[in-house]
Amino acid sequence: MLDIHLHVRVDVDPLRAAQNHMGVCDAIERIAPGGKPADMSAPNVPKVAGIDPLVPPPAQTPAPAGAVIQDRLAGWVSDLTTLHELTERLVGTSALDEALDAVVRAGATLVGARRGLVALEPADGLGPTGTVGLGLAHAELGHMETVPRRPAEGAPEAGDPGPGLFGSSPDLFHEEGLDPLHREVAARLGYAASYALPLNGPSGLLGSVVWLYDEPAEPVERQRHLVGLYVRYAAEHLARLVELERARARVAQLTEELLPSRLPRVSGVQMAVRHRTGPRGGGDWYDALPLPEGALGLAVGSVTGTGPGATAAMGRLRASLRAYAVIEGEDPVAVLSDLELLMRLTEPARSATALLAYCEPGKRKIVLAGAGHSPPLIVGERRTEYAETSLSAPLGMLSCWEAPSVEISPNPGETVLLYTEGLLRRTGDAMDRAFARLHAAAASVPRAIRDDPGAIADHVLRTLLPEGLDEVDSASDIVLLAARFD
């Protein structure tokens, strides 16, 4: 049994009562003996009718340290959430102009600006270049382009976008040494301050971005930090898109070099072609070859695969077909048979589709042979119909290819459309529905443009692939060759 002194047992009840009314810490401080100031050991306020009176808090109570930390954490979480949303939006862009627009909009949100523009000007001079504005009309962007360029000296830093655009200024009209033309443009467009950042990619300067304020202003330190983080990431994303755009341009240039530079002029027939190369480069091709005795050879085809390999195979296939067509072009079946044998020997891992038409414009006579290719479409005043062709396998699929030819006779003024399946695949529909849509697009050609094969081809593309689907990125190439017979 412990020996507990009496005076200790007596102090237990007041301690418990104080804990109930004032909290543990305050109770211990008030009841603990000795060494405390008088105000800290003041007696309890007497109860009234058994109820503790409300004690008003001090007039100025400093915020607890925990609340300050929580506020800071909440601000950091909000900033990180905003950055995450903006970068996710940027990552979702695959086209360069779309990404530039996302960058200038996101930066305007972070720095609190209403207008801005981003200029893409890679320092290596290899392109591509362009300017995208936010809240600026085309004419206003033109005025901005007149502002003198900054010299390319030293590495650009925050606030100094380097060569191309003007830098940061919290008050343009009171800044010393400002170019008079810059001041004139600012007054004309109605902005009084600017904040700019460089777009530094892994391989060098890509361009610069600037945001404009209507009144003298500048972003605070927190805003500068956030937009700096965003622009650093955005520059890496833009650098990847720039390299992709350059690769696409090289593939497109190579493809165009392998295709006819212009269509020949042959009496009795007018021709036009529309060709679009996919982003990775494909194997769709066309040809129009003058033959002896005023004849004309028309061909379209597609090699399996994408990329430089498919493009090179397409070039070899087209060159071989031209040689065979000159020798025995009046017999398209013989030409395709020779081509199939050559492919089996030289391109055993590939297959291809092809359609060859031997045309005699003076007689309006066409002899066709196809290897796994879609039939031509005849468009005229009184009919819009697919030509009946025999079914056959693509080249390279069988040990020995051969299929009968067919003969068609277009009426005066009718146009024959030759195309590749890439045109149908870009619709996104099943093949039967894509064929029906192509037929409807050709049937809707206005009478006023039926004499122009180029206008017919453009109308079919716009109708079949609305909203610019004939221009946007797609894995499929497009070939549409229109031949109008007089």
Side-chain angles (χ1 to χ4, degrees), residues 7 23 33 75 114 139 163 185 212 232 272 289 292 302 308 355 365 411 429 446 482:
H7 71 275
R114 189 172 61 89
V185 170
L212 308 175
R232 190 184 311 163
L289 179 65
S302 177
L355 179 70
K365 175 184 174 182
N411 296 322
D429 295 329

Side-chain angles (χ1 to χ4, degrees), residues 377-386 415 417 435-450 456 459-461 463-464:
L377 182 59
I378 303 174
V379 182
E381 293 287 342
R382 299 183 179 180
R383 63 171 177 169
T384 299
E385 61 185 24
Y386 288 103
T415 300
L417 298 179
F435 276 113
R437 289 183 56 186
L438 176 58
H439 183 278
S444 67
V445 174
R447 181 173 299 181
I449 65 172
R450 287 183 181 267
I456 293 175
H459 174 84
V460 170
L461 285 179
T463 307
L464 183 64

Side-chain angles (χ1 to χ4, degrees), residues 235-268:
E236 296 179 359
H237 181 69
L238 291 175
R240 290 189 290 268
L241 292 182
V242 166
E243 289 301 321
L244 182 60
E245 191 71 21
R246 290 176 176 178
R248 291 174 180 174
R250 289 192 292 267
V251 169
Q253 183 179 6
L254 174 62
T255 303
E256 294 300 327
E257 291 294 330
L258 293 175
L259 294 175
S261 57
R262 62 181 180 85
L263 296 175
R265 292 185 178 182
V266 178
S267 176

Side-chain angles (χ1 to χ4, degrees), residues 422-436:
L423 176 63
L424 303 175
R425 286 195 294 268
R426 281 209 185 191
T427 63
D429 295 329
M431 276 300 171
D432 56 346
R433 177 167 172 77
F435 276 113

Side-chain angles (χ1 to χ4, degrees), residues 186-453:
R188 181 178 303 177
L189 301 186
Y191 64 88
S194 63
Y195 183 72
L197 287 175
L199 293 170
N200 287 316
S203 301
L205 186 67
L206 295 175
S208 46
V209 57
V210 60
W211 296 278
L212 308 175
Y213 297 92
D214 297 339
E215 302 293 338
E218 63 179 340
V220 298
E221 180 180 358
R222 169 176 160 271
Q223 291 175 319
R224 293 195 298 268
H225 178 67
L226 290 177
V227 75
L229 292 175
Y230 176 82
V231 168
R232 190 184 311 163
Y233 177 83
E236 296 179 359
H237 181 69
L238 291 175
R240 290 189 290 268
L241 292 182
V242 166
E243 289 301 321
L244 182 60
E245 191 71 21
R246 290 176 176 178
R248 291 174 180 174
R250 289 192 292 267
V251 169
Q253 183 179 6
L254 174 62
T255 303
E256 294 300 327
E257 291 294 330
L258 293 175
L259 294 175
S261 57
R262 62 181 180 85
L263 296 175
R265 292 185 178 182
V266 178
S267 176
V269 62
Q270 303 175 48
M271 292 176 289
V273 67
R274 299 295 181 264
H275 176 249
R276 306 284 188 270
T277 303
R280 295 189 295 270
D284 287 15
W285 56 276
Y286 67 92
D287 207 346
L289 179 65
L291 297 175
E293 300 181 359
L296 172 69
L298 297 177
V300 292
S302 177
V303 176
T304 56
T306 58
T311 303
M314 174 268 289
R316 293 190 293 267
L317 183 69
R318 172 179 169 267
S320 301
L321 184 139
R322 288 174 68 91
Y324 294 143
V326 170
I327 298 172
E328 47 191 4
E330 68 278 0
D331 187 357
V333 172
V335 172
L336 294 183
S337 297
D338 294 341
L339 192 62
E340 193 275 337
L341 177 60
L342 178 67
M343 277 198 63
R344 245 185 322 119
L345 297 176
T346 61
E347 306 278 352
R350 293 188 184 275
S351 63
T353 65
L355 179 70
L356 177 60
Y358 178 78
C359 308
E360 297 180 83
K363 301 178 181 179
R364 291 195 303 277
K365 175 184 174 182
I366 302 176
V367 180
L368 292 169
H373 206 82
S374 303
L377 182 59
I378 303 174
V379 182
E381 293 287 342
R382 299 183 179 180
R383 63 171 177 169
T384 299
E385 61 185 24
Y386 288 103
E388 294 186 5
T389 57
S390 58
L391 297 176
S392 63
L395 302 175
M397 298 293 289
L398 301 177
S399 59
C400 182
W401 178 91
E402 187 171 351
S405 61
V406 296
E407 182 177 321
I408 61 175
S409 298
N411 296 322
E414 289 187 333
T415 300
V416 178
L417 298 179
L418 307 180
Y419 52 93
T420 58
E421 288 189 2
L423 176 63
L424 303 175
R425 286 195 294 268
R426 281 209 185 191
T427 63
D429 295 329
M431 276 300 171
D432 56 346
R433 177 167 172 77
F435 276 113
R437 289 183 56 186
L438 176 58
H439 183 278
S444 67
V445 174
R447 181 173 299 181
I449 65 172
R450 287 183 181 267
D451 293 339
D452 185 354

Side-chain angles (χ1 to χ4, degrees), residues 154-174:
E157 299 177 353
D160 180 10
L165 287 177
F166 42 84
S168 300
S169 175
D171 191 350
L172 287 169
F173 298 105
H174 293 86

